[in-house]
Amino acid sequence: MPDRSPTVSEARLLSVLDTAVDGIVVIDERARVLVFNKACETLFGYEAASVVGRNISFLMPPDYASEHDAAVGHYQRTGERRIIGIGREVRARHADGTVFPIELSVGEAKTPEGPQYIGIMRDLRPRKAVEQRLAQLQAQLVQMARVNAMDEMGAAVAHELNQPLTAVMLYLQALTRKLKSGEDEVDQAVLEILGKASREAERAGSIIQKMRQFIEKREPERQPVDIRRLIDEALEVTLLGNDGAAVEVVRDEMPDQPALEADPIQIQQILINLIRNGIEAVKSRDERWIRIATRTADGRLLVEVEDSGAGIPGETVRNLFKAFSTSKKTGLGLGLAISRSIAQNHGGDLLVEPGGGGRGATFVLSLPLGVTATVNAK
């Protein structure tokens, strides 16, 4: 059988290259472009005729271009692979100067003319756009859950705010009567009453401010946070009203709380959701308590929220963290789904020990420790 014509083989190869969806470029050992397929023309905005023979570095941002020539030379001298055989995300430069992300994998071919390197490139901009859109949708879901939680707590908040504000008026009335008594000097009792009035007013303002921060729509902002303070504030917001007042809160926390990098509002949202669920689980129980504990393990901070409820049935556990899955009469079933999503976006997770058989459920929030400093408990 006669050998196949090299021209036919080459034509077949070029046909395959030009019908490939991904950009494919072939360079020689001096980084000169030998093949530049149709997908590359679309990807970079150059025609193949204007590219072949040029150094591949012109398709890269300046910082990548200098590193590329050094990496090729290092491989040829030592045989150590830093790029070849390893797929990774890099930045490329379009003909109009735009820098954009691509996924690049590089292979090597031994030829009679010396080694040649084949790069396969995929435009990551569509995937990045989808990821950004998903992040935006998640932010909208987070906002929806906050608004839903605010709606459910609105009546309790209004009732609870009335108590400190009423106390303010009573203290001020007492102060007025004292001043009208005709005494020339203001004694210590007046100052004490005034101090009580100021503290109650400050408490009312603090509650309002926390609720405004909780519902405010904004981008996540990670910063060093004190988990103990977040728990304190979550309890203050959640235990409003008679339902919360009837529940005993047991704190079992480390004396030196490790600091971590997190978005305080989002982490507080998780804590509020877990505490509210715990209160809901013990409402009909003779023994009503929730336990909040913190500890560290394997470079992570663990926050455990345990309740004295009846536990979570097996059929409920399977769908517990799925969106729009709820056994409650009210609510959208988004709380735990969004809480787990927030935890995972922080590099952590939200898990549950369902309990049962006389034990209540325990939710475990796991967050990576990104800061070595500790915050002393007060």
Side-chain angles (χ1 to χ4, degrees), residues 277-353:
N277 286 348
I279 292 174
E280 184 74 20
V282 304
K283 271 181 23 177
S284 60
R285 306 285 289 180
D286 293 335
E287 187 178 1
R288 293 188 289 272
W289 55 261
I290 60 172
R291 171 181 165 272
I292 304 175
T294 60
R295 59 187 176 90
T296 57
D298 300 325
R300 292 175 174 270
L301 174 68
L302 305 181
V303 182
E304 300 174 349
V305 181
E306 179 185 6
D307 62 63
S308 61
I312 304 173
E315 61 274 12
T316 303
V317 173
R318 286 191 293 271
N319 298 318
L320 197 60
F321 295 102
K322 292 182 179 179
F324 305 107
S325 175
T326 179
S327 57
K328 298 179 181 179
K329 295 181 180 179
T330 60
L332 299 176
L334 289 172
L336 288 176
I338 293 177
S339 294
R340 170 174 275 185
S341 178
I342 291 173
Q344 291 176 345
N345 282 345
H346 278 75
D349 207 350
L350 179 61
L351 305 174
V352 63
E353 298 173 6

Side-chain angles (χ1 to χ4, degrees), residues 70-356:
V72 172
H74 177 82
Y75 171 72
Q76 291 173 347
R77 290 192 307 271
T78 66
E80 180 184 359
R81 297 189 172 194
R82 294 181 176 176
I83 301 176
I84 297 173
I86 303 173
R88 62 175 185 170
E89 180 178 336
V90 298
R91 289 180 293 127
R93 184 170 59 182
H94 192 269
D96 62 5
T98 303
V99 176
F100 60 98
I102 62 171
E103 184 177 22
L104 171 67
S105 58
V106 180
E108 181 183 14
K110 301 294 185 180
T111 73
E113 299 176 356
Q116 295 181 358
Y117 306 98
I118 302 94
I120 301 176
M121 295 164 284
R122 177 170 297 175
D123 191 352
L124 291 181
R125 284 173 293 185
R127 192 180 80 184
K128 295 289 185 180
V130 171
E131 291 174 352
Q132 183 178 8
R133 179 55 181 160
L134 288 175
Q136 292 172 347
L137 290 174
Q138 183 194 46
Q140 292 173 5
L141 284 175
V142 169
Q143 172 69 4
M144 185 189 303
R146 289 176 184 160
V147 173
N148 183 62
M150 283 294 297
D151 180 64
E152 294 180 10
M153 291 190 291
V157 171
H159 175 266
E160 189 68 13
L161 284 179
N162 185 60
Q163 295 178 6
L165 292 177
T166 301
V168 168
M169 288 190 297
L170 292 175
Y171 286 134
L172 292 178
Q173 290 171 2
L175 178 59
T176 301
R177 288 195 299 269
K178 185 72 174 178
L179 293 175
K180 288 182 176 179
S181 64
E183 298 179 4
D184 294 332
E185 296 183 0
V186 179
D187 59 20
Q188 188 62 35
V190 173
L191 297 177
E192 183 178 348
I193 292 173
L194 184 59
K196 289 180 179 180
S198 299
R199 286 193 293 272
E200 290 295 333
E202 183 179 354
R203 177 175 171 238
S206 175
I207 293 174
I208 294 173
Q209 181 64 22
K210 289 185 180 70
M211 301 306 291
R212 289 182 63 183
Q213 290 177 345
F214 180 70
I215 196 172
E216 182 183 12
K217 183 177 181 180
R218 59 176 181 79
E219 294 296 321
E221 297 178 2
R222 298 196 184 193
Q223 56 186 269
V225 298
D226 176 5
I227 194 67
R228 183 184 181 88
R229 182 179 63 81
L230 293 186
I231 293 173
D232 289 341
E233 294 179 354
L235 284 169
E236 183 177 0
V237 171
T238 311
L239 295 179
L240 298 174
N242 294 328
D243 290 341
V247 177
E248 179 187 1
V249 178
V250 180
R251 304 284 290 268
D252 182 11
E253 298 163 349
M254 296 176 295
D256 291 326
Q257 297 285 352
L260 66 151
E261 292 281 345
D263 183 294
I265 299 299
Q266 289 195 352
I267 299 304
Q268 190 176 84
Q269 180 179 346
I270 298 177
L271 296 173
I272 288 175
N273 188 63
L274 297 182
I275 294 170
R276 290 178 64 241
N277 286 348
I279 292 174
E280 184 74 20
V282 304
K283 271 181 23 177
S284 60
R285 306 285 289 180
D286 293 335
E287 187 178 1
R288 293 188 289 272
W289 55 261
I290 60 172
R291 171 181 165 272
I292 304 175
T294 60
R295 59 187 176 90
T296 57
D298 300 325
R300 292 175 174 270
L301 174 68
L302 305 181
V303 182
E304 300 174 349
V305 181
E306 179 185 6
D307 62 63
S308 61
I312 304 173
E315 61 274 12
T316 303
V317 173
R318 286 191 293 271
N319 298 318
L320 197 60
F321 295 102
K322 292 182 179 179
F324 305 107
S325 175
T326 179
S327 57
K328 298 179 181 179
K329 295 181 180 179
T330 60
L332 299 176
L334 289 172
L336 288 176
I338 293 177
S339 294
R340 170 174 275 185
S341 178
I342 291 173
Q344 291 176 345
N345 282 345
H346 278 75
D349 207 350
L350 179 61
L351 305 174
V352 63
E353 298 173 6

